[in-house]
């Protein structure tokens, strides 16, 4: 992870937010390469969702009526239990605190709580399983907390009782700050789709089943931001709500599970790096839920959730707004509340997964016939920030002019990069590091026959093509 974070900064993918002021925890800025990668990722998602008949797009506002979050259940339920250390004032999420206790400490706590059951004869894994199972029981948690030590100052028994902490960021609307004009920064984009369900349906004249896709920022006042972009306080989601007839939800749930896994694989993720996680403990709105998990260097982590949300959201908005959210089926003449299948991916979290999946260090041949290590990002060409580099072998004899003309021609269609500084081998390495899939080199043969070499990033193979064929060559490789 450290190597990837350092490359991300050095090559302009991701910077710490407000770095010159010491950074702002849980917030990150996307640099010149990062914003290209993020935009390409979002565009790939948007195209896969909307280049079909049954999905419409929307871009709802971040600030919504506060009743939205009462209806959705976020005001009441979007909370984490927290404890504070009375000694050093550090704050912890209860589950994280328990998770981070060492096995030895866990055993110690269990023995103190139940000396007869844990007489030392249990295997370690069994102790852990027991601990985890019991940690879910509310009456055990407070006792465990009191026996745990503060990871910051080491004091034992100094934790306050657990309190519920809502993860939504609050602000106020208008010039006067008081409790009557509280609004929230949305913690998910989904509700902007639900509240617009009938607007979108009537404007687009869609019939069930149909979906609505949205990409946008979401905010959560996460207590533990960790692992780079994995859990941040400001992030982007790519969500699609698919509205179906009640009774058809299981079929569509399976359909969208398959589609969404395929999307990651088609963009270059190795299937072995992805796995399904079935939720046993369901969110307040869900009938079934599966996560697509990616194998990060720190372990498996969710990158997307596929949720069968029943008619919970539309029914609740109907109840809280007093407006009908029912769909009228003009064939059967029935009115009913559709069920929803949600696909909810994190754009920033997927960005990190694609970055990690692409990163490699491998040996590569040098121009002199030797070997050297190269750092390379094996992005799918569609995701790569720069599609091609244009490299005049030398900066004279007209090679630079041809390269400039070629750059200007290709730039009308693709993000390409002109580079004439340093040995060509070093220029290749610089492009490998940012994942540029193709390098066109202009050499002395170009002067005679208007052809260039194309060097492919992963295989490092080279072939010759006519300059006039370069545009179609890239189009073909990008699949667009
Ligand atoms: N509308 C349902 C929903 O928001 P979620 O599982 O809470 O479901 C969906 O979030 C996705 O959003 C996650 O799979 C993850 O990719 C991303 N996500 C959630 N919280 C995040 C955070 N704090 N930082 C970065 N990405 C996050």
């Amino acid at each position: 992870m450290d190597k990837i974070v350092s490359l991300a900064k050095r090559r302009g993918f991701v910077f710490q937010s407000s770095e010159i002021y010491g950074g702002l925890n849980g917030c990150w800025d996307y640099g010149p390469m990062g914003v290209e990668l993020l935009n390409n990722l979002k565009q790939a998602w948007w195209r896969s969702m909307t280049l079909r008949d049954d999905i419409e797009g929307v871009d709802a506002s971040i600030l919504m009526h506060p009743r939205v979050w009462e209806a959705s259940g976020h005001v009441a339920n979007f909370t984490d239990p927290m404890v504070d250390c009375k000694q050093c004032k550090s704050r912890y999420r209860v589950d994280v605190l328990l998770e981070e206790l060492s096995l030895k400490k866990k055993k110690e706590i269990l023995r103190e709580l139940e000396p007869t059951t844990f007489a030392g004869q249990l295997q370690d894994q069994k102790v852990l399983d027991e601990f985890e199972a019991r940690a879910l029981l509310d009456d055990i948690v407070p006792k465990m907390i009191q026996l745990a030590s503060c990871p910051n100052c080491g004091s034992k028994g100094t934790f306050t009782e657990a309190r519920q902490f809502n993860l939504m960021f609050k602000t106020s609307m208008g010039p006067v700050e008081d409790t009557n004009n509280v609004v929230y920064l949305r913690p998910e984009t989904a509700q902007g789709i639900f509240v617009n369900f009938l607007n979108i349906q009537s404007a687009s004249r869609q019939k069930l089943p149909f979906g609505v896709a949205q990409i946008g920022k979401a905010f959560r006042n996460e207590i533990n931001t960790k692992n780079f972009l994995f859990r941040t306080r400001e992030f982007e989601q790519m969500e699609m709500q698919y509205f179906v007839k009640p009774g058809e939800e299981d079929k569509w749930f399976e359909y969208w599970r398959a589609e969404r896994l395929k999307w990651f694989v088609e963009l270059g993720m190795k299937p072995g790096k992805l796995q399904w996680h079935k939720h046993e403990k369901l969110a307040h709105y869900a009938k079934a839920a599966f996560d697509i998990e990616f194998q990060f260097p720190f372990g498996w982590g969710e990158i997307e959730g596929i949720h069968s949300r029943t008619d919970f959201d539309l029914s609740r908005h109907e109840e809280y707004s007093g407006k009908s959210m029912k769909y009228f089926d003009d064939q059967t003449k029935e009115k009913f509340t559709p069920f929803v299948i949600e696909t909810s991916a994190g754009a920033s979290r997927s960005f990190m997964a694609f970055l990690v999946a692409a990163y490699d260090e491998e040996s590569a041949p040098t121009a002199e016939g030797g070997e050297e290590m190269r750092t390379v990002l094996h992005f799918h060409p569609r995701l790569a920030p720069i599609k091609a580099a244009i490299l005049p072998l030398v900066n004279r004899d007209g090679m630079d002019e041809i390269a400039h003309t070629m750059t200007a021609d290709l730039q009308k269609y693709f993000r390409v990069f002109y580079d004439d500084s340093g040995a060509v081998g070093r220029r290749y390495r610089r492009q490998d590091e940012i994942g540029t899939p193709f390098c066109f080199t202009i050499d002395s043969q170009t002067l005679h026959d208007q052809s260039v070499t194309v060097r492919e990033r992963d295989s490092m193979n080279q072939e010759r093509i006519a300059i006039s064929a370069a545009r179609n060559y890239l189009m073909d490789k990008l699949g667009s």
Side-chain angles (χ1 to χ4, degrees), residues 217-256:
K217 291 259 176 160
F219 304 83
R220 296 182 188 180
N221 198 359
E222 302 280 4
I223 309 310
N224 284 70
T225 55
K226 58 176 181 183
N227 294 327
F228 194 33
L229 306 174
F230 186 78
R231 184 169 291 119
T232 55
R233 293 189 167 128
E234 175 175 338
F235 56 97
E236 254 180 312
Q237 287 189 316
M238 308 184 289
E239 293 198 300
M240 194 279 300
Q241 312 294 329
Y242 202 70
F243 300 94
V244 304
K245 282 191 182 150
E248 292 187 355
E249 66 276 14
D250 294 348
K251 177 180 91 183
W252 287 111
F253 185 62
E254 290 311 318
Y255 170 85
W256 280 110

Side-chain angles (χ1 to χ4, degrees), residues 272-332:
K273 291 266 172 197
L274 298 169
Q275 72 175 18
W276 285 109
H277 167 74
K278 181 176 192 254
H279 283 221
E280 300 301 341
K281 214 174 143 214
L282 291 171
H284 60 277
Y285 51 75
K287 175 181 167 190
F290 274 84
D291 295 337
I292 299 176
E293 292 187 334
F294 173 75
Q295 194 174 28
F296 288 100
F298 48 82
W300 290 95
E302 171 192 341
I303 48 178
E304 169 156 355
I306 324 292
H307 309 130
S308 184
R309 294 180 74 123
T310 67
D311 58 356
F312 173 83
D313 302 273
L314 292 180
S315 304
R316 292 275 289 196
H317 286 305
E318 181 166 300
E319 183 189 335
Y320 278 68
S321 69
K323 305 273 166 25
S324 169
M325 297 300 277
K326 292 197 172 54
Y327 171 82
F328 177 68
D329 187 327
D330 53 13
Q331 281 186 331
T332 62

Side-chain angles (χ1 to χ4, degrees), residues 42-52 263 382 479-480:
K42 290 190 287 186
Q43 203 195 27
W45 184 89
W46 190 255
R47 289 171 67 97
S48 82
M49 284 295 175
T50 60
L51 298 189
R52 47 188 286 161
W263 184 79
R382 229 176 297 153
S480 59

Side-chain angles (χ1 to χ4, degrees), residues 62-76:
I62 287 174
L63 300 175
M64 300 179 75
H65 196 287
R67 291 278 283 166
V68 168
W69 306 109
E70 288 171 30
S72 68
H74 282 82
V75 171

Side-chain angles (χ1 to χ4, degrees), residues 42-290:
K42 290 190 287 186
Q43 203 195 27
W45 184 89
W46 190 255
R47 289 171 67 97
S48 82
M49 284 295 175
T50 60
L51 298 189
R52 47 188 286 161
D53 295 334
D54 58 347
I55 298 186
E56 305 291 338
V58 74
D59 187 0
S61 68
I62 287 174
L63 300 175
M64 300 179 75
H65 196 287
R67 291 278 283 166
V68 168
W69 306 109
E70 288 171 30
S72 68
H74 282 82
V75 171
N77 298 322
F78 198 55
T79 55
D80 273 338
M82 308 285 310
V83 289
D84 293 318
C85 171
K86 288 184 238 167
Q87 191 68 32
C88 70
K89 312 284 178 236
S90 301
R91 178 168 284 182
Y92 301 95
R93 239 169 69 185
V94 169
D95 61 331
V96 174
L97 191 66
L98 295 179
E99 206 179 279
E100 285 177 357
L101 293 178
S102 68
L103 181 61
K104 190 165 156 261
K105 191 76 198 163
K106 287 180 180 184
K107 276 170 143 178
E108 247 174 66
I109 293 179
L110 281 178
R111 281 210 197 89
E112 247 178 283
L113 286 174
E114 291 183 36
T116 46
T117 327
F118 298 95
Q121 77 279 26
L122 288 175
Q123 296 297 312
D124 287 356
Q125 190 51 48
K126 280 197 183 156
V127 172
L128 260 181
D129 292 347
E130 186 68 15
F131 185 89
E132 241 110 60
R134 272 157 193 274
L136 298 174
L137 299 176
D138 288 347
D139 60 328
I140 298 278
V141 168
K143 292 183 199 158
M144 282 182 173
I145 293 295
Q146 287 321 321
L147 292 170
S149 314
C150 171
N152 183 43
C153 70
S155 318
K156 191 172 160 183
T158 53
F159 287 117
T160 58
E161 279 191 9
R163 280 174 298 134
Q164 292 299 332
F165 174 83
N166 196 296
L167 298 186
M168 283 194 292
F169 278 101
K170 269 186 203 165
T171 185
S172 51
M173 205 158 215
V176 185
E177 233 180 90
D178 74 34
T179 47
N180 294 327
N181 56 14
V182 164
V183 286
Y184 300 98
L185 302 191
R186 66 180 176 201
E188 61 170 14
T189 53
Q191 300 304 324
I193 296 178
F194 294 128
V195 298
N196 277 304
F197 165 65
L198 282 183
N199 285 338
I200 296 167
Q201 193 264 324
S202 60
S204 62
R205 300 175 60 234
Q206 284 281 1
K207 298 202 186 323
L208 294 188
F210 76 93
V212 180
Q214 175 169 220
I215 299 178
K217 291 259 176 160
F219 304 83
R220 296 182 188 180
N221 198 359
E222 302 280 4
I223 309 310
N224 284 70
T225 55
K226 58 176 181 183
N227 294 327
F228 194 33
L229 306 174
F230 186 78
R231 184 169 291 119
T232 55
R233 293 189 167 128
E234 175 175 338
F235 56 97
E236 254 180 312
Q237 287 189 316
M238 308 184 289
E239 293 198 300
M240 194 279 300
Q241 312 294 329
Y242 202 70
F243 300 94
V244 304
K245 282 191 182 150
E248 292 187 355
E249 66 276 14
D250 294 348
K251 177 180 91 183
W252 287 111
F253 185 62
E254 290 311 318
Y255 170 85
W256 280 110
R257 276 183 60 195
E259 283 296 298
R260 293 307 305 143
L261 191 69
K262 200 167 80 189
W263 184 79
F264 284 102
V265 174
E266 280 175 359
L267 281 176
M269 288 244 179
K270 292 201 175 72
K273 291 266 172 197
L274 298 169
Q275 72 175 18
W276 285 109
H277 167 74
K278 181 176 192 254
H279 283 221
E280 300 301 341
K281 214 174 143 214
L282 291 171
H284 60 277
Y285 51 75
K287 175 181 167 190
F290 274 84

